[in-house]
Amino acid sequence: MSQASLPFDFRSATATSESRVVDDHAEVDALFSLLEDDDCRCILDATDGVAHSASELSEACDLPLSTTYRKLDPLVDAGLLSKRLRISRSGTHTAEYERTVDDVTVSVTPSGVEVRVSHRDVAQSASVTA
């Protein structure tokens, strides 16, 4: 399954407090696919606690801007990144991205593999810059 066509949203998985159990096999496979991608992992690392624009992520991860945008969409769709608007007083507004996941835990249980995704609370509001 390609990353660009994720048919689900990990945020809608079964919730337990702030963590969610991903129990659908297709969702687990897609999550693993995102996490095994070096570029996606670099983006997730770069957005740990700090929101960045696509061009800032492109530079930080040494990726072409087109590749960065192609990686951002499935990460946002999967709920691993949040996307919000950075409002500039100059009138140039930019989308910025921040990681929404603290950790992913894989366990082997009697019923099979269990994947638990722990989300952090990331504000979805716009930020204002000078």
Side-chain angles (χ1 to χ4, degrees):
M1 170 176 284
S2 83
Q3 293 176 12
S5 61
L6 296 174
F8 54 85
D9 183 345
F10 288 114
R11 293 168 291 193
S12 65
T14 307
T16 307
S17 185
E18 291 189 30
S19 67
R20 302 180 189 285
V21 174
V22 181
D23 52 10
D24 179 76
H25 292 292
E27 293 175 22
V28 170
D29 289 345
L31 179 59
F32 287 163
S33 177
L34 288 169
L35 295 175
E36 79 176 344
D37 184 294
D38 291 337
D39 298 337
C40 289
R41 284 196 318 272
C42 182
I43 291 169
L44 289 170
D45 287 342
T47 55
D48 183 18
V50 181
H52 291 290
S53 68
S55 60
E56 291 166 345
L57 290 168
S58 173
E59 186 176 320
C61 294
D62 195 26
L63 297 171
L65 189 56
S66 60
T67 300
T68 303
Y69 277 112
R70 193 172 61 251
K71 301 296 180 173
L72 287 170
D73 287 339
L75 289 167
V76 169
D77 291 344
L80 299 176
L81 289 180
S82 68
K83 179 180 179 181
R84 64 182 180 218
L85 188 61
R86 181 188 298 168
I87 299 172
S88 173
R89 296 184 197 284
S90 68
T92 307
H93 309 313
T94 305
E96 62 183 13
Y97 304 86
E98 186 174 356
R99 194 174 86 196
T100 60
V101 175
D102 277 326
D103 59 47
V104 176
T105 306
V106 179
S107 303
V108 178
T109 66
S111 60
V113 174
E114 177 183 278
V115 178
R116 184 173 300 275
V117 180
S118 298
H119 288 272
R120 60 176 67 162
D121 186 26
V122 176
Q124 295 294 326
S125 62
S127 63
V128 179
T129 59

